[in-house]
Amino acid sequence: MESNHVIPSTAGIKDKAHDFWTSGLIDAVHLNFLCPIRYVHDYLPSPPTWLMPQPLSLSNILQRDEDDITASPFYTLERASSVYLHTTAARLPLHTGLKDFRQNKYWRANEDSTKELLQLFAQDRKCSDVLLSDNRSLSDLAEKQLENEVIDTYSRFSVYMFPEADEERIRLLAQSVILTFIFDDTPLERRISDIRTRLLACDDEEGNGGADVLETLISFWCHAEPSREGFSSVRDYLDYRREDIANPFISSSVKFSICSSVDRTKPELGRLLRHIGDHISIVNDLASFDKEKRHFDAGKANSMINLVHVIATLERAETQTAKSMAYAWQLCTENAILEELTALKRRNGLSSEEWSFVDACLMAASGNLLASVVMSRYGGEKTRVA
């Protein structure tokens, strides 16, 4: 017998939750550019009260208005491709002192290009023979990703980390970030060749970041596995994680996104880029720890490459204590970034193009954090708000 009981709809509850998290996020004039937020993952719901982040904004350091590109001789980056996000007004759980967050206007192009490449992974017969660490084939993984909105998975990283990329460059970056294998004579291999050609064609127009993207992408494919003996310290781990999370590829993608010709290896930029790379690694590890721990405990992963796990192991600490220590390391890193930015301004040794690159790298750091919070990849369906 069928029941007459009617299950109450949760649509209204979802709508209210969504409004709570997104109200005031973007200026009304830019609403048509807003990439919808359907998930909110608070990966640190009870941050230690004894840790307080310091405000970190390049606008304040250079003493200029956020959208005034003529107010400072240090700064020339235009804002044609992005919109500013008022994350504080939206009350998103962003555990950081970083204050500037932007979103790329061409997020739909980013999404379409991601789907396009995933479909090639799913359809390419050779991908069925490529087994991942969990014994799934690459084509199975691609098909699984296509079952959901790809913009709510790793596709969202590009939208926030490279907000100044024009439409062609965001398409190329969207596909570059999901490339981890090289295939022989297949439709997928031909697409990779096409991506290479288009990256270099962008260099012919402006900047030379396309070549950097290719170089660091290949380097990432070849990076070493972690030692079976583990890590001797947090610094030892973060030095390894710098390559494992593709930080050189990220900085080259930042350079490419703003059509820049800066030398990323310039000694004056080295300390700052290392701190920003550490920040990206730490935030990613904090956001993903619970998911990775579940997979590891269930036997779905052979190892845990995660800062929280490293701290818990080295210090014999409980999980919550290890998370607090990882968060403390993040805030120490933000303070180091602040100090280095102040020193760079005082020394007056960077060109306006290099300051634009610095600003874009900071946006990559804040974008990495925002993406980790508002996508489904780490928190899953329980964090859905719309």
Side-chain angles (χ1 to χ4, degrees), residues 25 69 98 106 184 186 203 206 227 265 292 299 301 347:
L25 180 60
I69 64 171
L98 291 167
Y106 303 111
D184 293 328
T186 67
D203 284 358
E206 188 174 3
S227 170
T265 65
E292 291 178 10
R347 292 194 292 265

Side-chain angles (χ1 to χ4, degrees), residues 58 62 74-79 161-162 164 208-209 212 247-266 268-270 272-274 276 341 344 350-365:
L58 188 61
L62 299 185
F74 298 109
Y75 188 80
T76 60
L77 187 60
E78 297 185 13
R79 298 298 195 190
M161 293 182 71
F162 314 123
E164 304 309 328
N208 58 14
D212 276 19
N247 268 315
F249 168 71
I250 291 172
S251 65
S252 67
S253 296
V254 167
K255 172 182 171 179
F256 176 75
S257 74
I258 60 172
C259 311
S260 177
S261 298
V262 298
D263 179 3
R264 296 180 303 108
T265 65
K266 183 175 180 177
E268 289 84 348
L269 292 171
L272 179 65
L273 293 184
R274 285 192 295 273
I276 291 175
L341 288 171
L344 285 170
L350 299 185
S351 67
S352 59
E353 184 182 21
E354 288 165 341
W355 275 113
S356 296
F357 174 66
V358 166
D359 185 26
C361 286
L362 290 171
M363 288 298 169

Side-chain angles (χ1 to χ4, degrees), residues 119-148:
Q119 286 165 352
L120 284 175
F121 274 112
Q123 295 165 5
D124 196 312
R125 286 180 297 177
K126 288 195 175 182
C127 291
S128 299
D129 299 328
V130 179
L131 295 182
L132 305 175
S133 58
D134 59 2
N135 290 323
R136 285 186 299 171
S137 72
L138 186 56
S139 60
D140 288 340
L141 176 62
E143 289 177 357
K144 183 68 175 177
Q145 294 296 320
L146 289 166
E147 289 176 2
N148 304 302

Side-chain angles (χ1 to χ4, degrees), residues 2 22 33 35 70 79 98-99 117 126 164 172 182 184 209 211 257 319 323 326 329 344 352 358 377 381:
E2 292 184 359
T22 61
F33 292 118
C35 181
T70 63
R79 298 298 195 190
L98 291 167
K99 294 301 180 184
L117 190 57
K126 288 195 175 182
E164 304 309 328
L172 291 169
I182 299 177
D184 293 328
S257 74
T319 294
K323 284 185 178 181
W329 202 286
L344 285 170
S352 59
V358 166
R377 180 172 175 83
E381 284 303 306

Side-chain angles (χ1 to χ4, degrees), residues 111-376:
E111 181 181 34
D112 290 344
S113 295
T114 301
K115 287 181 180 178
E116 183 181 4
L117 190 57
L118 285 173
Q119 286 165 352
L120 284 175
F121 274 112
Q123 295 165 5
D124 196 312
R125 286 180 297 177
K126 288 195 175 182
C127 291
S128 299
D129 299 328
V130 179
L131 295 182
L132 305 175
S133 58
D134 59 2
N135 290 323
R136 285 186 299 171
S137 72
L138 186 56
S139 60
D140 288 340
L141 176 62
E143 289 177 357
K144 183 68 175 177
Q145 294 296 320
L146 289 166
E147 289 176 2
N148 304 302
E149 297 287 345
V150 297
I151 197 65
D152 289 322
T153 59
Y154 45 72
S155 175
R156 194 173 285 262
F157 279 115
S158 301
V159 174
Y160 299 132
M161 293 182 71
F162 314 123
E164 304 309 328
D166 61 28
E167 184 170 356
E168 170 68 359
R169 289 173 188 254
I170 200 65
R171 286 183 182 276
L172 291 169
L173 289 171
Q175 296 195 341
S176 295
V177 297
I178 61 173
L179 290 177
T180 53
F181 296 95
I182 299 177
F183 296 87
D184 293 328
D185 188 17
T186 67
L188 181 58
E189 195 277 334
R190 289 194 292 273
R191 175 47 53 89
I192 294 173
S193 178
D194 174 63
I195 293 171
R196 175 185 180 278
T197 299
R198 290 163 61 194
L199 283 168
L200 296 177
C202 287
D203 284 358
D204 290 338
E205 296 178 4
E206 188 174 3
N208 58 14
D212 276 19
V213 171
L214 289 171
E215 179 184 349
T216 53
L217 183 58
I218 293 171
S219 177
F220 170 68
W221 288 335
C222 301
H223 81 277
E225 293 294 318
S227 170
R228 292 185 178 182
E229 298 177 358
F231 302 98
S232 60
S233 65
V234 169
R235 183 69 266 159
D236 182 32
Y237 169 77
L238 288 174
D239 287 344
Y240 168 78
R241 189 72 164 122
R242 180 176 183 271
E243 300 295 332
D244 184 64
I245 205 173
N247 268 315
F249 168 71
I250 291 172
S251 65
S252 67
S253 296
V254 167
K255 172 182 171 179
F256 176 75
S257 74
I258 60 172
C259 311
S260 177
S261 298
V262 298
D263 179 3
R264 296 180 303 108
T265 65
K266 183 175 180 177
E268 289 84 348
L269 292 171
R271 187 189 301 272
L272 179 65
L273 293 184
R274 285 192 295 273
H275 291 325
I276 291 175
D278 284 348
H279 189 276
I280 290 172
S281 298
I282 295 166
V283 166
N284 184 270
D285 284 1
L286 276 167
S288 64
F289 173 78
D290 290 339
K291 176 184 176 180
E292 291 178 10
K293 183 69 161 59
R294 287 194 302 270
H295 283 197
F296 180 71
D297 291 344
K300 296 180 180 180
N302 297 324
S303 61
M304 279 196 69
I305 309 299
N306 189 287
L307 177 61
V308 178
H309 176 71
V310 169
I311 291 175
T313 302
L314 289 174
E315 304 299 331
R316 300 179 183 177
E318 297 292 333
T319 294
Q320 191 56 45
T321 300
K323 284 185 178 181
S324 295
M325 294 173 73
Y327 181 52
W329 202 286
Q330 175 196 321
L331 296 190
C332 284
T333 302
E334 291 183 8
N335 184 65
I337 292 172
L338 181 62
E339 290 179 349
E340 185 62 17
L341 288 171
T342 303
L344 285 170
K345 181 187 177 183
R346 183 178 63 251
R347 292 194 292 265
N348 195 21
L350 299 185
S351 67
S352 59
E353 184 182 21
E354 288 165 341
W355 275 113
S356 296
F357 174 66
V358 166
D359 185 26
C361 286
L362 290 171
M363 288 298 169
S366 64
N368 171 65
L369 193 150
L370 178 57
S372 299
V373 169
V374 299
M375 63 182 182
S376 63

